[in-house]
Amino acid sequence: MDTESSVIVNRTDLRIQVMKKYREVAGNPAAGYHFFTGRKAADHVGYSADLLEALPPEVIEAFAGVANPFHWGTPPFGATVVDIGSGAGLDSVIAARSVGPEGRVIGIDMTPEMLDRAQASAEALGLIQLEFRKGLAEELPVADASVDIVISNGVLNLVPDKLGAYSEIRRVLKPQGEFRIADIVVEKPVPEGAQRDIDLWTG
């Protein structure tokens, strides 16, 4: 299905601006943004203390999610999980600790600085079941029907081709797989002028 006609903003420009924003967060998470970061953000959106207390501050400080994809519970032991827009890796780390060494977690992000941060956390914690890959929500570097659970936290609202992203999620999930999304939803139509404003897409 051709989804280009439904995309109002220029994809390349949007990706450049989103990467710029989250490159800044990766390098200086406490700088002050129009959204919370770090432990304050995690507490604000409802992460329980038992998910966070055992983690080093470096794993949490660049977190910039909008909700808690583990509200419905953490992934079961042995599951394969994909984290779309894994950012600094907090959700991927939580998922990896939950699935254990028999499971697998793949974090996917397009920002190299976030991937570097996330990989450093995985290595520091010895999570051999966790890996990070560079990629896009609309072009997931994951095999067909290979994933038990897909999670995403505040990322699909930044993707202009949402139909393309959801098609990819469907492609990689096993027939009985689950998608646990944490994101921002509006209940009224967004004016076309706002849809064309890249600044409104980047956060």
Side-chain angles (χ1 to χ4, degrees), residues 139-157:
E139 301 173 15
L140 296 174
V142 180
D144 295 356
S146 61
V147 178
D148 297 301
I149 301 172
V150 170
I151 61 174
S152 181
N153 192 347
V155 173
L156 293 179
N157 64 329

PDB file of all heavy atoms in Angstrom, residues 139-157:
ATOM      1  N   GLU A 139      10.582   0.829   8.818  1.00  0.00           N
ATOM      2  CA  GLU A 139      11.450  -0.153   8.158  1.00  0.00           C
ATOM      3  C   GLU A 139      12.216  -0.921   9.243  1.00  0.00           C
ATOM      4  O   GLU A 139      13.426  -0.785   9.391  1.00  0.00           O
ATOM      5  CB  GLU A 139      12.426   0.535   7.207  1.00  0.00           C
ATOM      6  CG  GLU A 139      11.762   1.344   6.103  1.00  0.00           C
ATOM      7  CD  GLU A 139      12.762   2.136   5.290  1.00  0.00           C
ATOM      8  OE1 GLU A 139      13.985   1.868   5.379  1.00  0.00           O
ATOM      9  OE2 GLU A 139      12.329   3.041   4.556  1.00  0.00           O
ATOM     10  N   LEU A 140      11.516  -1.717  10.008  1.00  0.00           N
ATOM     11  CA  LEU A 140      12.130  -2.404  11.144  1.00  0.00           C
ATOM     12  C   LEU A 140      13.132  -3.457  10.674  1.00  0.00           C
ATOM     13  O   LEU A 140      12.788  -4.323   9.860  1.00  0.00           O
ATOM     14  CB  LEU A 140      11.049  -3.063  12.002  1.00  0.00           C
ATOM     15  CG  LEU A 140      10.044  -2.127  12.673  1.00  0.00           C
ATOM     16  CD1 LEU A 140       8.948  -2.945  13.362  1.00  0.00           C
ATOM     17  CD2 LEU A 140      10.726  -1.205  13.671  1.00  0.00           C
ATOM     18  N   PRO A 141      14.357  -3.426  11.207  1.00  0.00           N
ATOM     19  CA  PRO A 141      15.365  -4.430  10.845  1.00  0.00           C
ATOM     20  C   PRO A 141      15.182  -5.715  11.647  1.00  0.00           C
ATOM     21  O   PRO A 141      16.048  -6.144  12.414  1.00  0.00           O
ATOM     22  CB  PRO A 141      16.678  -3.722  11.186  1.00  0.00           C
ATOM     23  CG  PRO A 141      16.327  -2.826  12.337  1.00  0.00           C
ATOM     24  CD  PRO A 141      14.916  -2.371  12.078  1.00  0.00           C
ATOM     25  N   VAL A 142      14.015  -6.337  11.453  1.00  0.00           N
ATOM     26  CA  VAL A 142      13.610  -7.521  12.224  1.00  0.00           C
ATOM     27  C   VAL A 142      12.910  -8.485  11.278  1.00  0.00           C
ATOM     28  O   VAL A 142      12.168  -8.057  10.385  1.00  0.00           O
ATOM     29  CB  VAL A 142      12.656  -7.123  13.379  1.00  0.00           C
ATOM     30  CG1 VAL A 142      12.225  -8.338  14.183  1.00  0.00           C
ATOM     31  CG2 VAL A 142      13.302  -6.079  14.288  1.00  0.00           C
ATOM     32  N   ALA A 143      13.116  -9.777  11.468  1.00  0.00           N
ATOM     33  CA  ALA A 143      12.531 -10.800  10.603  1.00  0.00           C
ATOM     34  C   ALA A 143      11.012 -10.885  10.782  1.00  0.00           C
ATOM     35  O   ALA A 143      10.462 -10.553  11.837  1.00  0.00           O
ATOM     36  CB  ALA A 143      13.168 -12.152  10.896  1.00  0.00           C
ATOM     37  N   ASP A 144      10.346 -11.359   9.760  1.00  0.00           N
ATOM     38  CA  ASP A 144       8.900 -11.558   9.791  1.00  0.00           C
ATOM     39  C   ASP A 144       8.501 -12.531  10.898  1.00  0.00           C
ATOM     40  O   ASP A 144       9.185 -13.547  11.129  1.00  0.00           O
ATOM     41  CB  ASP A 144       8.403 -12.137   8.470  1.00  0.00           C
ATOM     42  CG  ASP A 144       8.578 -11.190   7.286  1.00  0.00           C
ATOM     43  OD1 ASP A 144       9.017 -10.051   7.494  1.00  0.00           O
ATOM     44  OD2 ASP A 144       8.264 -11.617   6.154  1.00  0.00           O
ATOM     45  N   ALA A 145       7.384 -12.242  11.552  1.00  0.00           N
ATOM     46  CA  ALA A 145       6.748 -13.165  12.510  1.00  0.00           C
ATOM     47  C   ALA A 145       7.743 -13.772  13.496  1.00  0.00           C
ATOM     48  O   ALA A 145       7.721 -14.972  13.767  1.00  0.00           O
ATOM     49  CB  ALA A 145       6.015 -14.273  11.749  1.00  0.00           C
ATOM     50  N   SER A 146       8.605 -12.918  14.050  1.00  0.00           N
ATOM     51  CA  SER A 146       9.662 -13.409  14.938  1.00  0.00           C
ATOM     52  C   SER A 146       9.578 -12.854  16.360  1.00  0.00           C
ATOM     53  O   SER A 146      10.413 -13.185  17.194  1.00  0.00           O
ATOM     54  CB  SER A 146      11.036 -13.040  14.353  1.00  0.00           C
ATOM     55  OG  SER A 146      11.187 -11.625  14.245  1.00  0.00           O
ATOM     56  N   VAL A 147       8.563 -12.043  16.638  1.00  0.00           N
ATOM     57  CA  VAL A 147       8.519 -11.276  17.889  1.00  0.00           C
ATOM     58  C   VAL A 147       7.245 -11.595  18.673  1.00  0.00           C
ATOM     59  O   VAL A 147       6.154 -11.648  18.116  1.00  0.00           O
ATOM     60  CB  VAL A 147       8.586  -9.767  17.584  1.00  0.00           C
ATOM     61  CG1 VAL A 147       8.491  -8.943  18.857  1.00  0.00           C
ATOM     62  CG2 VAL A 147       9.861  -9.430  16.821  1.00  0.00           C
ATOM     63  N   ASP A 148       7.414 -11.783  19.983  1.00  0.00           N
ATOM     64  CA  ASP A 148       6.252 -12.020  20.850  1.00  0.00           C
ATOM     65  C   ASP A 148       5.561 -10.725  21.254  1.00  0.00           C
ATOM     66  O   ASP A 148       4.331 -10.663  21.317  1.00  0.00           O
ATOM     67  CB  ASP A 148       6.695 -12.761  22.118  1.00  0.00           C
ATOM     68  CG  ASP A 148       7.270 -14.135  21.823  1.00  0.00           C
ATOM     69  OD1 ASP A 148       6.550 -14.962  21.242  1.00  0.00           O
ATOM     70  OD2 ASP A 148       8.451 -14.374  22.149  1.00  0.00           O
ATOM     71  N   ILE A 149       6.360  -9.697  21.567  1.00  0.00           N
ATOM     72  CA  ILE A 149       5.807  -8.440  22.060  1.00  0.00           C
ATOM     73  C   ILE A 149       6.565  -7.275  21.429  1.00  0.00           C
ATOM     74  O   ILE A 149       7.796  -7.256  21.420  1.00  0.00           O
ATOM     75  CB  ILE A 149       5.913  -8.331  23.595  1.00  0.00           C
ATOM     76  CG1 ILE A 149       5.165  -9.479  24.271  1.00  0.00           C
ATOM     77  CG2 ILE A 149       5.387  -6.987  24.086  1.00  0.00           C
ATOM     78  CD1 ILE A 149       5.395  -9.548  25.782  1.00  0.00           C
ATOM     79  N   VAL A 150       5.829  -6.311  20.915  1.00  0.00           N
ATOM     80  CA  VAL A 150       6.403  -5.032  20.477  1.00  0.00           C
ATOM     81  C   VAL A 150       5.970  -3.967  21.468  1.00  0.00           C
ATOM     82  O   VAL A 150       4.787  -3.869  21.805  1.00  0.00           O
ATOM     83  CB  VAL A 150       5.938  -4.652  19.060  1.00  0.00           C
ATOM     84  CG1 VAL A 150       6.353  -3.225  18.729  1.00  0.00           C
ATOM     85  CG2 VAL A 150       6.508  -5.612  18.028  1.00  0.00           C
ATOM     86  N   ILE A 151       6.939  -3.180  21.959  1.00  0.00           N
ATOM     87  CA  ILE A 151       6.623  -2.051  22.812  1.00  0.00           C
ATOM     88  C   ILE A 151       7.094  -0.775  22.126  1.00  0.00           C
ATOM     89  O   ILE A 151       7.985  -0.790  21.276  1.00  0.00           O
ATOM     90  CB  ILE A 151       7.258  -2.160  24.221  1.00  0.00           C
ATOM     91  CG1 ILE A 151       8.791  -2.212  24.134  1.00  0.00           C
ATOM     92  CG2 ILE A 151       6.714  -3.368  24.961  1.00  0.00           C
ATOM     93  CD1 ILE A 151       9.485  -2.181  25.495  1.00  0.00           C
ATOM     94  N   SER A 152       6.475   0.330  22.497  1.00  0.00           N
ATOM     95  CA  SER A 152       6.874   1.631  21.961  1.00  0.00           C
ATOM     96  C   SER A 152       6.407   2.691  22.937  1.00  0.00           C
ATOM     97  O   SER A 152       5.306   2.612  23.472  1.00  0.00           O
ATOM     98  CB  SER A 152       6.249   1.866  20.582  1.00  0.00           C
ATOM     99  OG  SER A 152       6.648   3.112  20.050  1.00  0.00           O
ATOM    100  N   ASN A 153       7.251   3.687  23.152  1.00  0.00           N
ATOM    101  CA  ASN A 153       6.963   4.686  24.183  1.00  0.00           C
ATOM    102  C   ASN A 153       7.199   6.099  23.642  1.00  0.00           C
ATOM    103  O   ASN A 153       8.326   6.573  23.580  1.00  0.00           O
ATOM    104  CB  ASN A 153       7.840   4.437  25.417  1.00  0.00           C
ATOM    105  CG  ASN A 153       7.401   5.251  26.617  1.00  0.00           C
ATOM    106  OD1 ASN A 153       6.614   6.179  26.506  1.00  0.00           O
ATOM    107  ND2 ASN A 153       7.920   4.896  27.776  1.00  0.00           N
ATOM    108  N   GLY A 154       6.115   6.747  23.231  1.00  0.00           N
ATOM    109  CA  GLY A 154       6.204   8.140  22.802  1.00  0.00           C
ATOM    110  C   GLY A 154       6.905   8.330  21.481  1.00  0.00           C
ATOM    111  O   GLY A 154       7.454   9.402  21.226  1.00  0.00           O
ATOM    112  N   VAL A 155       6.880   7.318  20.621  1.00  0.00           N
ATOM    113  CA  VAL A 155       7.627   7.380  19.363  1.00  0.00           C
ATOM    114  C   VAL A 155       6.704   7.444  18.147  1.00  0.00           C
ATOM    115  O   VAL A 155       6.951   8.204  17.212  1.00  0.00           O
ATOM    116  CB  VAL A 155       8.575   6.166  19.246  1.00  0.00           C
ATOM    117  CG1 VAL A 155       9.231   6.113  17.875  1.00  0.00           C
ATOM    118  CG2 VAL A 155       9.633   6.246  20.331  1.00  0.00           C
ATOM    119  N   LEU A 156       5.634   6.674  18.140  1.00  0.00           N
ATOM    120  CA  LEU A 156       4.775   6.650  16.960  1.00  0.00           C
ATOM    121  C   LEU A 156       4.126   8.000  16.687  1.00  0.00           C
ATOM    122  O   LEU A 156       3.787   8.309  15.542  1.00  0.00           O
ATOM    123  CB  LEU A 156       3.719   5.557  17.093  1.00  0.00           C
ATOM    124  CG  LEU A 156       4.278   4.136  17.069  1.00  0.00           C
ATOM    125  CD1 LEU A 156       3.163   3.119  17.233  1.00  0.00           C
ATOM    126  CD2 LEU A 156       5.045   3.871  15.779  1.00  0.00           C
ATOM    127  N   ASN A 157       3.994   8.841  17.719  1.00  0.00           N
ATOM    128  CA  ASN A 157       3.462  10.180  17.469  1.00  0.00           C
ATOM    129  C   ASN A 157       4.467  11.055  16.717  1.00  0.00           C
ATOM    130  O   ASN A 157       4.102  12.101  16.182  1.00  0.00           O
ATOM    131  CB  ASN A 157       3.031  10.862  18.776  1.00  0.00           C
ATOM    132  CG  ASN A 157       4.196  11.114  19.715  1.00  0.00           C
ATOM    133  OD1 ASN A 157       5.164  10.366  19.723  1.00  0.00           O
ATOM    134  ND2 ASN A 157       4.093  12.147  20.512  1.00  0.00           N
TER     135      ASN A 157
END
